[in-house]
Amino acid sequence: MGGATPAEKALILLRTRLCDPNFIFRPLCESSDSNYSKLKFLVASSITEACSNSILLLGPRGSGKIAVLDLVIGDLLQEYPDSITVIRLSGLLHSDENCALKASFDENSQFLIAMLRECGLAHKTIIFVLDDFDLFALGKQRLLYNLLDALQSVTSQAVVIGISCRLDADQLLEKRVISRFSNRKLLFLPPSEEDIQRLLEHILLLPTDSSLPTDYVIQFNTKLQKILADEKFKEIINTYLNLDSTVKDFLRYLFRAVSIMDLPSGLLSLENFKTALSNIQRHPKMESIKDCSILELYILVCMKRLEVKEQNSYNFTTVMKEYKSIHDSFQTSDYYAKNVCLRAFEHLLQRGLIEFIDSRGQNQSVEYRPVKLLISFHELHQGLKSYRSCPAILQKIMDREK
């Protein structure tokens, strides 16, 4: 890395940040009302006051439940290095009672209770982390019952933290388990606009106290601030968040945008974020257009023109009339016989780019059955643009209809 340019060093720094959950989630934990603060207070209280507790962390996958929990545990291990033991169980592996007890302690729950008692007498708190908590609620729930029942003992000192992407995880518990559960829940919601803005600045702004040249850092940060304030950039971010709203997916998107930074200039641009968005979005219909023949493109454009003319019901015969109209108006060389057009029409049906409006009339000839287009104007327009040998006349027609 010694011979790397400032731009290459900056790129490595940004990628490293995006792969470090501790760095990412730290600014989201600063508020006293954050899930980090609430969870840390509950666990720290159990340690300092020598009491037991239980709590559920609920939210969609990728919302930061485990990342925030790891931050809390990491900080508490530094503050109380000799007072905490962490035991992690996964519902995918340990939901069966015998398997769980054998994997973590011994073959019977009596050993678990005895161990909790000894740790309590030694003023040591055990933190049980139950990932995929809802899977522990399957079956007879003996593990959960024995664990939570042991927490009722005066001498025990433990915290049970359940993690689940099911918001109704607590509703799966039996009455005997619910009666021993503290009924505390922390909900992990998609990040707010303020959280996103804070994350972007925290991740993408270069540090002024690094080995990077000061002039380069100032130039990079100035350009980035202009991008963050740009309305077009906000539209791009909102478009992405409408697709994937979890922090994990958002970080994946930012990693793509950063990775295509222009190294010669060493600066991020609005185009980086726009390109990353187009790369991450899947357009199966647009991909299908790339494999279409020229004739099939003509048929699709004809159908789109009929829709623009508000002709809601049309069939192959109607499409052929529109096809002839284009040929007569523009004197194109791409004009095919009816039987060839019918095969192309059937091929589009097989591709799923068009379909029959209903299942009635199956005994009717394909030429006369009403059909509809399954691709939007935007998808067709962009698909034609990306088609290498697309006739200029089709582009012209679509631009005119836009």
Side-chain angles (χ1 to χ4, degrees):
M1 187 172 169
T5 65
E8 291 171 335
K9 291 180 180 179
L11 181 58
I12 292 171
L13 173 64
L14 295 177
R15 283 173 163 176
T16 303
R17 285 178 170 182
L18 286 163
C19 296
D20 183 1
N22 286 342
F23 180 87
I24 296 297
F25 285 91
R26 185 61 69 180
L28 299 180
C29 300
E30 294 172 355
S31 169
S32 59
D33 195 42
S34 67
N35 283 333
Y36 166 87
S37 300
K38 294 175 182 176
L39 181 59
K40 185 178 180 181
F41 173 78
L42 287 170
V43 180
S45 298
S46 298
I47 298 170
T48 56
E49 297 175 14
C51 62
S52 296
N53 224 325
S54 54
I55 187 170
L56 281 179
L57 309 184
L58 306 176
R61 296 191 187 280
S63 57
K65 302 183 295 295
I66 294 178
V68 169
L69 173 61
D70 288 343
L71 272 177
V72 169
I73 292 177
D75 290 349
L76 290 175
L77 282 172
Q78 289 185 349
E79 295 176 28
Y80 310 98
D82 301 322
S83 303
I84 302 175
T85 296
V86 181
I87 296 175
R88 297 178 183 266
L89 301 176
S90 170
L92 294 171
L93 300 173
H94 307 125
S95 55
D96 176 73
E97 181 198 29
N98 292 331
C99 176
L101 294 177
K102 186 174 182 180
S104 53
F105 318 112
D106 201 74
E107 295 180 352
N108 59 74
S109 57
Q110 291 300 317
F111 180 81
L112 166 62
I113 296 170
M115 185 192 66
L116 285 171
R117 185 183 300 114
E118 290 299 319
C119 288
L121 293 173
H123 302 292
K124 197 175 184 71
T125 300
I126 301 177
I127 300 176
F128 293 95
V129 178
L130 308 184
D131 200 6
D132 288 305
F133 179 84
D134 48 287
L135 298 181
F136 286 94
L138 300 177
K140 297 181 180 180
Q141 303 182 12
R142 288 193 295 267
L143 173 65
L144 288 177
Y145 174 77
N146 288 331
L147 187 56
L148 293 172
D149 187 60
L151 266 59
Q152 308 296 313
S153 169
V154 178
T155 57
S156 69
Q157 229 175 289
V159 180
V160 176
I161 302 174
I163 305 172
S164 177
C165 59
R166 288 193 56 167
L167 301 183
D168 64 342
D170 57 323
Q171 303 300 317
L172 304 174
L173 301 177
E174 297 175 354
K175 289 183 179 179
R176 61 173 185 162
V177 177
I178 292 177
S179 65
R180 289 161 172 77
F181 189 73
S182 301
N183 201 30
R184 292 187 175 89
K185 293 180 285 188
L186 289 181
L187 188 59
F188 286 73
L189 300 171
S192 64
E193 288 186 16
E194 293 78 11
D195 289 337
I196 291 296
Q197 184 67 20
R198 199 180 311 129
L199 267 179
L200 287 168
E201 294 178 355
H202 176 66
I203 296 169
L204 301 179
L205 286 174
L206 297 179
T208 55
D209 57 346
S210 65
S211 61
L212 294 170
T214 304
D215 292 345
Y216 170 69
V217 171
I218 293 173
Q219 184 185 14
F220 184 96
N221 289 346
T222 302
K223 176 73 181 296
L224 181 64
Q225 292 286 13
K226 288 181 180 178
I227 294 173
L228 297 182
D230 193 321
E231 289 301 321
K232 291 182 180 178
F233 173 77
K234 294 177 182 178
E235 287 178 14
I236 293 171
I237 296 301
N238 288 333
T239 300
Y240 179 78
L241 292 176
N242 287 334
L243 298 172
D244 297 298
S245 58
T246 63
V247 176
K248 183 178 180 179
D249 288 324
F250 184 61
L251 297 177
R252 188 181 296 119
Y253 163 70
L254 289 182
F255 193 94
R256 282 176 177 259
V258 165
S259 296
I260 55 178
M261 180 177 77
D262 181 50
L263 290 178
S265 69
L267 302 175
L268 286 171
S269 66
L270 185 64
E271 195 62 32
N272 295 148
F273 297 95
K274 191 183 298 184
T275 302
L277 178 62
S278 63
N279 289 343
I280 222 165
Q281 288 176 310
R282 291 189 67 250
H283 298 286
K285 296 285 173 50
M286 287 173 56
E287 292 169 7
S288 294
I289 289 175
K290 294 178 181 179
D291 296 326
C292 288
S293 66
I294 298 294
L295 175 56
E296 289 165 357
L297 295 183
Y298 268 98
I299 293 174
L300 291 173
V301 171
C302 287
M303 293 177 70
K304 184 56 67 178
R305 285 191 74 184
L306 290 171
E307 289 186 357
V308 171
K309 294 176 181 178
E310 298 184 355
Q311 191 165 339
N312 297 324
S313 179
Y314 50 84
N315 54 30
F316 173 75
T317 302
T318 317
V319 173
M320 286 300 96
K321 290 179 181 178
E322 188 68 26
Y323 179 47
K324 187 176 185 307
S325 172
I326 292 176
H327 171 69
D328 292 343
S329 299
F330 298 97
Q331 293 298 308
T332 66
S333 59
D334 301 311
Y335 195 72
Y336 300 86
K338 182 180 176 180
N339 62 329
V340 178
C341 292
L342 183 57
R343 287 201 299 271
F345 185 80
E346 292 172 338
H347 194 207
L348 290 173
L349 285 166
Q350 294 169 2
R351 284 182 177 277
L353 292 173
I354 63 176
E355 71 174 6
F356 295 116
I357 289 179
D358 53 44
S359 58
R360 292 177 295 179
Q362 291 184 358
N363 296 327
Q364 194 176 11
S365 173
V366 172
E367 301 175 38
Y368 302 106
R369 290 183 64 182
V371 293
K372 63 180 178 180
L373 197 56
L374 298 179
I375 184 169
S376 69
F377 185 94
H378 173 75
E379 288 173 325
L380 180 55
H381 193 229
Q382 294 300 317
L384 292 176
K385 282 186 176 180
S386 61
Y387 196 98
R388 290 184 179 179
S389 55
C390 177
I393 185 62
L394 294 183
Q395 287 281 12
K396 187 176 181 180
I397 291 173
M398 292 299 291
D399 289 338
R400 182 183 297 176
E401 301 291 351
K402 192 173 181 181

